[in-house]
């Protein structure tokens, strides 16, 4: 029985649920390093939820334990972005997504580890030390939402929030063998999220199963007056609309995926696709001829937007000037962003990146016009061993298959497809804007739902 | 550390730029373009005079129609 079912049946109280997770964290997080800070009021908040359950007033997440990435503001807890720059920054307010979780009686258990300022794909660049992959010991958990994915994989929380700019939810979900969703750009309010690149960032859920991820998504999604980029849509009740019947669903697989991805990963992905076919879907071949342009277009855009976002860390308001205390990857991106942002170079790099962004978006949406979902691998290679030295470009290559969704603003989800030598491999599914339900249904079918 | 990072940054920029190549397409700017994809209520409204009005009250502007902002003295 899942925690949700136990809580709803009364077999488990919110307080007991929080206590068991705190016990697990106390026992094992020294090794995993999934959390930067725990919520000292979690048990007290759980008691209040139990009272609401008794009164019959509890919300959808009643008593479920939620871990939050350290770039999302939670009042009273530190939003460090895993950087020395913000090591003493205590949030004075709740992000909109946190308000919505609290309104539905979820309990925040703590702030998770991550790559510094979300600049990384391995979970190794945190000022607070790297995170271990609980599903593949000795390997990176992926990033940048490394602690959120690891917290789910290690059994430290029911649900977690991550942010995804170029794969930061999906990459660690794949490496840790959990479910992760990057929503349509504008579906979930970014208010309270500390920017990496504001035109690409989205907050999304991570969970151990598809129903839980769908539940958290429906709680955090929807328009907010505080945020001009949110779409004026009423998101459906994703969790109650889940269906594993894929009759009539057309799923596209791009042959370019095979060109850039390790054979052993492709084998697992194709095996997962055959399971979806058994549920009624048909798989057809589609083309993404400019897939190789997605990575440079993405990074040149990110450098500029990240540089702009970091100008507030000037040492006057948040303790430290970022360039004086940050790690190598953050410094590299600031240097690159500063250089590209200079007016005389803008046409040479940034504007060109935006043109290629148009091309990628056009190709991805064109492929999706023919099919309901676009399926493929999440990362082109298996996670490397913790501490192994990679060049910046080798590290960026992890994002090749995840950045197109961000460039096009479309939703994408990851669910475990299988394992290669004991290392999880995730199937990635893309859909047209606001068609998250199709992704969730296919993931649900793969998970064995009915 | 800074010199090593600078050298790597130069290499990263060179390789990414070469990998990108050239293209002649409209640029995708954030927000407007993204919302255009998903909105079902037609074209967004464009207020022609808004940018001009904002520039008229800007303390400084250049010949291409951009604001000129002063960089803080504490920033290198």
């Amino acid at each position: 029985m899942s925690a949700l079912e136990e809580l709803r049946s009364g077999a488990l109280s919110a307080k007991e649920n929080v206590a068991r997770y705190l016990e697990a964290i106390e026992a094992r997080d020294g090794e995993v390093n999934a959390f930067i800070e725990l919520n000292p009021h979690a048990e007290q908040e759980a008691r209040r939820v139990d009272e609401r359950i008794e009164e019959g007033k509890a919300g959808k997440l009643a008593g479920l334990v939620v871990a939050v990435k350290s770039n999302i503001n939670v009042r009273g807890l530190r939003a460090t972005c895993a950087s020395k720059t913000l090591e003493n920054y205590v949030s004075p307010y709740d992000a909109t997504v946190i308000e919505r979780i609290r309104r539905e009686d979820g309990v925040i258990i703590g702030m998770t580890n991550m790559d510094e300022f979300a600049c990384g794909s391995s979970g190794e660049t945190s000022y607070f030390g790297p995170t271990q992959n609980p599903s593949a010991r000795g390997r990176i958990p992926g990033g940048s939402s490394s602690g959120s994915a690891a917290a789910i994989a290690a059994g430290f929380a029911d649900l977690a929030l991550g942010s995804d700019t170029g794969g930061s939810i999906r990459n660690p979900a794949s490496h840790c063998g959990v479910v992760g969703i990057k929503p349509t750009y504008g579906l979930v309010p970014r208010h309270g999220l500390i920017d990496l690149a504001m035109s690409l960032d989205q907050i999304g859920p991570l969970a151990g199963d598809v129903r839980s991820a769908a539940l958290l998504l429906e709680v955090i999604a929807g328009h907010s007056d505080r945020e001009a980029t949110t779409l004026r849509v009423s998101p459906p009740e994703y969790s109650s609309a889940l269906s594993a019947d894929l009759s009539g669903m057309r799923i596209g697989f791009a042959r370019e995926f095979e060109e850039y991805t390790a054979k052993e990963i492709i084998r697992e992905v194709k095996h997962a696709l055959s399971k979806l076919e058994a549920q009624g879907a048909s798989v057809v071949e589609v083309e993404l001829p400019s897939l190789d342009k997605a990575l440079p277009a993405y990074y040149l855009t990110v450098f500029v937007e990240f540089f702009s976002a970091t100008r507030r860390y000037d040492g006057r308001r948040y303790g430290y000037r970022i360039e004086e205390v940050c790690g190598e990857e953050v410094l590299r991106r600031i240097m690159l962003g500063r250089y590209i942002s200079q007016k005389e170079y803008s046409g040479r790099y940034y504007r060109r990146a935006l043109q290629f962004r148009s091309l990628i978006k056009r190709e991805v949406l064109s492929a999706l016009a023919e099919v309901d979902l676009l399926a493929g691998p999440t990362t082109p290679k298996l996670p490397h061993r913790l501490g192994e030295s990679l060049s910046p470009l080798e590290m960026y290559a992890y994002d090749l298959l995840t950045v197109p969704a961000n460039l096009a603003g479309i939703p994408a989800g990851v669910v475990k497809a299988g394992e290669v030598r004991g290392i999880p491999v995730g199937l990635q599914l893309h859909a047209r804007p606001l068609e998250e339900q199709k992704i969730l249904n296919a993931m649900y079918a793969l998970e064995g739902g009915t | 550390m800074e010199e090593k990072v600078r050298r790597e940054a130069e290499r990263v920029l060179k390789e990414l730029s070469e990998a990108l190549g050239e293209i002649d397409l409209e640029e995708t700017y954030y927000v407007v373009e993204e919302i255009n994809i998903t909105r079902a209520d037609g074209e967004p409204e464009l207020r022609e005079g808004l940018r001009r009005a904002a520039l008229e009250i800007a303390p400084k502007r250049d010949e291409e129609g951009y604001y000129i902002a002063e960089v803080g003295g504490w920033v290198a």
Side-chain angles (χ1 to χ4, degrees):
Chain A
M1 196 186 283
S2 71
L4 185 61
E5 288 164 335
E6 285 183 281
L7 285 157
R8 284 181 178 171
S9 71
L12 181 73
S13 71
K15 189 173 167 241
E16 288 166 341
N17 197 30
V18 167
R20 70 178 180 174
Y21 282 124
L22 287 174
E23 203 172 297
I25 293 166
E26 170 72 27
R28 294 185 282 117
D29 197 39
E31 190 189 341
V32 179
N33 201 21
F35 285 92
I36 291 174
E37 182 174 33
L38 294 176
N39 178 7
H41 308 298
E43 286 181 301
Q44 193 184 330
E45 290 169 16
R47 276 198 295 276
R48 280 203 294 274
V49 171
D50 282 329
E51 287 167 13
R52 285 174 57 77
I53 292 172
E54 276 180 26
E55 293 165 8
K57 293 179 182 170
K60 285 181 184 177
L61 301 179
L64 288 175
V65 163
V66 186
V68 180
K69 188 173 180 179
S70 288
N71 58 355
I72 298 171
N73 280 278
V74 178
R75 188 175 180 174
L77 298 181
R78 287 185 304 154
T80 60
C81 288
S83 178
K84 184 176 171 66
T85 314
L86 296 176
E87 69 173 331
N88 298 315
Y89 170 62
V90 178
S91 301
Y93 71 102
D94 278 338
T96 300
V97 290
I98 301 300
E99 282 181 353
R100 291 177 178 180
I101 287 170
R102 291 196 198 279
R103 196 181 305 146
E104 295 295 336
D105 294 307
V107 180
I108 308 296
I109 197 160
M111 307 300 289
T112 57
N113 208 349
M114 57 185 280
D115 279 296
E116 186 180 18
F117 280 105
C119 294
S121 308
S122 71
E124 294 174 297
T125 67
S126 168
Y127 171 64
F128 301 93
T131 299
Q132 172 73 249
N133 186 335
S135 303
R137 293 299 167 107
R139 302 265 170 181
I140 57 158
S144 66
S145 306
S146 47
S148 292
I152 296 297
F156 294 160
D158 296 308
L159 305 163
L161 285 180
S163 65
D164 191 312
T165 306
S168 285
I169 288 174
R170 291 162 287 154
N171 167 315
S174 177
H175 290 337
C176 292
V178 302
V179 175
I181 299 161
K182 196 281 297 180
T184 302
Y185 186 84
L187 180 64
V188 176
R190 290 182 298 113
H191 163 259
L193 170 69
I194 298 172
D195 299 336
L196 167 56
M198 62 183 178
S199 76
L200 301 160
D201 296 334
Q202 270 292 279
I203 297 172
L206 293 117
D209 60 88
V210 176
R211 186 175 293 281
S212 301
L215 185 65
L216 182 54
L217 180 61
E218 73 193 35
V219 166
I220 61 175
H223 178 261
S224 166
D225 287 336
R226 286 187 186 140
E227 227 246 84
T229 62
T230 49
L231 300 167
R232 290 192 179 274
V233 292
S234 301
E237 302 271 308
Y238 301 111
S239 61
S240 50
L242 282 176
S243 167
D245 180 7
L246 306 184
S247 302
M249 182 177 271
R250 282 166 60 84
I251 299 178
F253 179 84
R255 61 168 157 259
E256 289 82 4
F257 291 151
E258 292 195 64
E259 196 179 322
Y260 299 106
T261 309
K263 283 190 173 57
E264 52 202 6
I265 293 177
I266 290 291
R267 193 179 59 234
E268 293 305 316
V269 165
K270 289 199 166 174
H271 183 56
L273 289 176
S274 66
K275 287 184 184 170
L276 296 180
E277 283 181 303
Q279 298 286 331
S282 56
V283 177
V284 298
E285 201 172 84
V286 294
E287 287 185 349
L288 292 174
S290 304
L291 183 64
D292 61 326
K293 306 294 184 191
L295 203 63
Y298 167 80
Y299 270 100
L300 293 174
T301 306
V302 165
F303 296 149
V304 172
E305 293 186 15
F306 179 60
F307 170 66
S308 168
T310 58
R311 294 310 83 200
R312 75 194 78 168
Y313 311 120
D314 53 14
R316 295 192 308 159
R317 285 164 290 187
Y318 301 105
Y320 298 103
R321 184 171 171 236
I322 189 166
E323 289 90 340
E324 288 169 4
V325 295
C326 69
E328 284 188 19
E329 182 56 30
V330 169
L331 185 60
R332 184 159 37 246
R333 292 188 189 198
I334 290 173
M335 283 179 176
L336 283 160
R338 176 181 285 131
Y339 180 79
I340 296 170
S341 298
Q342 289 173 23
K343 196 173 150 191
E344 62 266 38
Y345 296 111
S346 64
R348 197 165 145 198
Y349 300 112
Y350 185 59
R351 201 163 290 166
R352 198 145 51 98
L354 295 179
Q355 289 175 321
F356 274 96
R357 183 172 178 174
S358 303
L359 178 69
I360 300 298
K361 190 175 66 178
R362 189 180 294 180
E363 283 186 7
V364 169
L365 291 176
S366 165
L368 280 167
E370 307 296 317
V371 294
D372 296 290
L373 294 173
L374 188 58
T378 311
T379 59
K381 54 188 176 179
L382 293 171
H384 61 263
R385 293 191 182 281
L386 272 167
E388 196 177 311
S389 180
L390 268 67
S391 74
L393 287 164
E394 285 173 325
M395 193 66 85
Y396 297 168
Y398 270 114
D399 305 333
L400 173 67
L401 306 171
T402 46
V403 297
N406 303 80
L407 292 171
I410 59 170
V414 167
V415 64
K416 187 174 174 181
E419 291 183 356
V420 174
R421 298 187 300 278
I423 302 166
V425 168
L427 174 73
Q428 183 177 206
L429 295 156
H430 303 79
R432 290 185 284 268
L434 298 175
E435 292 192 348
E436 277 80 0
Q437 190 71 56
K438 286 183 181 174
I439 294 174
L440 290 163
N441 286 354
M443 295 202 297
Y444 187 58
L446 190 62
E447 199 179 56
T450 54
Chain B
M1 174 176 101
E2 197 164 325
E3 188 45 43
K4 173 185 167 243
V5 173
R6 190 182 305 281
R7 278 201 309 274
E8 280 175 344
E10 283 169 11
R11 190 161 60 243
V12 164
L13 189 60
K14 182 173 179 289
E15 293 201 20
L16 290 181
S17 181
E18 283 173 4
L20 203 53
E22 298 290 341
I23 194 171
D24 184 20
L25 262 185
E26 282 291 301
E27 297 125 31
T28 288
Y29 284 99
Y30 119 98
V31 184
V32 175
E33 195 78 15
E34 298 296 352
I35 290 174
N36 276 351
I37 292 173
T38 50
R39 63 189 303 157
D41 58 346
E43 292 295 312
E45 183 188 351
L46 185 66
R47 295 182 193 172
E48 290 290 348
L50 187 64
R51 183 179 177 84
R52 192 178 59 248
L55 280 167
E56 277 170 9
I57 58 169
K60 286 183 184 175
R61 58 182 186 267
D62 69 10
E63 68 283 358
E64 289 180 40
Y66 290 98
Y67 294 123
I68 297 175
E70 186 183 351
V71 176
W74 59 90
V75 177

